[in-house]
Amino acid sequence: MSFIEKIGYFAISLAKSFTDIFFFAGIILRRMLRRKTYSSAMRTVLVNQIYFTSVQILPVFLVVSIIFGSLLIGIVFQLLKGLGLTEFFGNVLMGLIVTELSPFFTVLLITLRSGSAINTEIAVMKVNGEIKTLETFRIDVIDYLLVPRVINGVASLVLLSSLFSVVLMFSGILFSNIIFGIGIDAYTNILLNSANFSDIVIALLKCAIFGFFATVIPIRSGLSASNELTSIPIAVSGGMVNVFTAIMIIEVLSLITKLF
Amino acid sequence: MTHNVQAATVSVDLPLISNQEVWMNISLIKQYHENMPLAQAHDIAIAALQRLGLEHIAFKRNPSLNNEERFGVMLLRAVMVRDAIVIIDRPFKIIPHLNKINFFLDTLKKIEDFYINCHIYDYKWMEERYGELCP
């Protein structure tokens, strides 16, 4: 195969992969908007998924958020003071850390913990014949198994990212007082003046898109496993690489929307 | 109101869902097919397990069950299908150490009001194990 052929082959497989994911995402999205999808069985799975993804992770997430968030805020505030840009700390906090860093940090954590778990779970179910069992008992796999996981991904990302932002803002109270000598009232005032409604909407939308693809891609990858055990690690590693690529693409697209 | 008779298969090729407890595997059918609330479906699943004397495994998962328990749960899952015609596919593949059909017939008898009919399918060379059922 010549170099040009290799490029062509890569481009075709990339295009196929994109088409496949978007087609699958479209099916999931359509089911999410259908009332019939929300059966008693589906709601049970949804509650369990939210518990496993958002509630079980809370202690670790809070500790990591407090440590990482506080250090970050401290360093950024220190840097701003050093550069003589003290008056811009509200803009930096809201525009960069809360709306950009929180969703990114949260999606990485959720992908590492839940995305990989979902990918493996679906691949194992496929290999074990459990997906076939559900189909034999006339249980719609998309409604029962997949949609709850995707809704959970969206909800978890939005909620945990918001929590991370709240932790950052509380850390900001402490550090703004230590570094800039600003009181709580002045700090709140600066934050409110710096908050841009459209930025917050974009950040929440980005969280939802992150959550959607951070679950849809591992699910699709898990379903691509064959009936052999050896296909599980291949499906999981392929799925995780695709998720990280998707995260980067979404991040870049959101930055472009911010530019204009 | 009339309902269509539905086939409900018990087969080694249709395993229990391994990330769910036994009672959830059974209640899932009622919850999904009839949109039954979780609590009600749970009670039905536990009552069904009691009929087979298996209530002690309600909160176990598939890997920790023995073959007899696994068959019982698969059968209860099948009979949860409304107006079920139960199809048992190669029962001795589910419990390989049994030599006679009696255990399966006894189990079916305990829950005979749960299903409309039952068919057992197996290979010709297994007929010895079926005794009088295969004259």
Side-chain angles (χ1 to χ4, degrees):
Chain A
M1 198 186 280
S2 72
F3 180 67
I4 300 292
E5 280 174 332
K6 276 182 185 169
I7 293 174
Y9 180 77
F10 176 73
I12 289 169
S13 61
L14 196 69
K16 270 186 184 169
S17 177
F18 265 97
T19 315
D20 182 50
I21 287 294
F22 279 109
F23 183 70
F24 184 66
I27 294 172
I28 298 279
L29 203 59
R30 218 167 46 233
R31 295 294 183 92
M32 281 169 73
L33 300 172
R34 202 177 61 165
R35 199 177 167 194
K36 195 186 154 203
T37 304
Y38 297 84
S39 66
S40 165
M42 180 273 186
R43 292 196 303 269
T44 305
V45 177
L46 180 60
V47 170
N48 284 337
Q49 286 297 316
I50 288 176
Y51 173 73
F52 291 133
T53 307
S54 296
V55 181
Q56 270 192 344
I57 202 180
L58 264 183
V60 175
F61 187 82
L62 271 175
V63 169
V64 173
S65 304
I66 290 167
I67 295 171
F68 181 74
S70 301
L71 284 172
L72 191 77
I73 290 281
I75 290 166
V76 169
F77 281 9
Q78 197 73 268
L79 207 64
L80 288 173
K81 193 182 179 187
L83 293 169
L85 299 169
T86 309
E87 69 269 30
F88 296 113
F89 91 87
N91 298 70
V92 172
L93 186 66
M94 289 303 292
L96 181 73
I97 297 177
V98 171
T99 61
E100 288 301 324
L101 215 72
S102 294
F104 191 66
F105 173 80
T106 313
V107 76
L108 285 183
L109 211 67
I110 292 290
T111 304
L112 284 172
R113 189 180 179 274
S114 301
S116 53
I118 290 171
N119 202 334
T120 314
E121 184 186 29
I122 300 292
V124 169
M125 287 183 83
K126 178 89 185 291
V127 173
N128 274 350
E130 293 172 25
I131 302 269
K132 192 175 85 179
T133 301
L134 292 172
E135 286 167 348
T136 306
F137 279 93
R138 291 174 294 281
I139 291 168
D140 191 303
V141 173
I142 295 177
D143 286 358
Y144 171 70
L145 211 59
L146 311 188
V147 172
R149 281 164 176 76
V150 177
I151 293 175
N152 159 59
V154 173
S156 298
L157 242 301
V158 171
L159 294 174
L160 288 176
S161 178
S162 306
L163 182 67
F164 186 70
S165 301
V166 170
V167 169
L168 281 178
M169 284 190 269
F170 272 100
S171 303
I173 295 175
L174 181 73
F175 282 96
S176 60
N177 193 272
I178 294 169
I179 297 169
F180 304 130
I182 296 173
I184 293 177
D185 288 344
Y187 174 80
T188 313
N189 209 21
I190 290 168
L191 274 193
L192 286 174
N193 286 334
S194 314
N196 190 333
F197 182 72
S198 66
D199 281 352
I200 293 169
V201 171
I202 289 173
L204 289 176
L205 200 65
K206 191 167 77 175
C207 286
I209 296 170
F210 268 151
F212 184 79
F213 283 103
T215 42
V216 162
I217 295 171
I219 285 172
R220 186 75 195 103
S221 186
L223 286 174
S224 71
S226 67
N227 292 328
E228 289 172 13
L229 281 173
T230 47
S231 68
I232 296 175
I234 297 167
V236 173
S237 62
M240 296 318 286
V241 169
N242 287 345
V243 172
F244 281 108
T245 310
I247 289 170
M248 291 306 155
I249 291 171
I250 296 164
E251 188 62 49
V252 168
L253 288 176
S254 91
L255 289 174
I256 291 171
T257 57
K258 271 201 140 186
L259 275 178
F260 302 103
Chain B
M1 200 163 92
T2 57
H3 299 285
N4 291 331
V5 171
Q6 296 182 76
T9 313
V10 176
S11 169
V12 77
D13 295 331
L14 300 174
L16 298 173
I17 306 300
S18 52
N19 62 7
Q20 290 191 345
E21 289 162 358
V22 159
W23 74 268
M24 289 177 91
N25 268 281
I26 299 167
S27 67
L28 166 64
I29 307 297
K30 289 280 179 203
Q31 267 193 286
Y32 190 83
H33 287 181
E34 299 170 32
N35 204 15
M36 189 179 277
L38 177 67
Q40 197 184 342
H42 168 267
D43 292 346
I44 288 174
I46 298 293
L49 283 165
Q50 282 169 344
R51 289 279 286 271
L52 295 183
L54 292 175
E55 62 274 21
H56 61 283
I57 63 162
F59 297 97
K60 285 184 178 179
R61 292 191 177 194
N62 188 26
S64 51
L65 305 180
N66 64 35
N67 290 336
E68 282 84 352
E69 290 168 343
R70 191 169 294 117
F71 171 77
V73 178
M74 287 161 97
L75 181 64
L76 289 176
R77 179 179 64 180
V79 299
M80 286 298 128
V81 174
R82 191 187 281 189
D83 297 334
I85 289 190
V86 177
I87 294 169
I88 304 179
D89 171 36
R90 292 163 295 161
F92 292 104
K93 211 173 173 189
I94 303 171
I95 317 180
H97 66 266
L98 292 182
N99 291 319
K100 296 287 174 198
I101 192 71
N102 300 17
F103 172 80
F104 299 103
L105 297 180
D106 292 344
T107 309
L108 281 165
K109 188 126 186 92
K110 286 179 191 167
I111 51 165
E112 62 187 353
D113 52 318
F114 281 10
Y115 58 91
I116 290 176
N117 208 338
C118 177
H119 297 271
I120 301 175
Y121 291 89
D122 213 327
Y123 292 114
K124 177 83 174 155
W125 59 81
M126 298 293 285
E127 65 184 349
E128 198 180 286
R129 296 193 187 190
Y130 287 86
E132 291 175 359
L133 281 180
C134 293

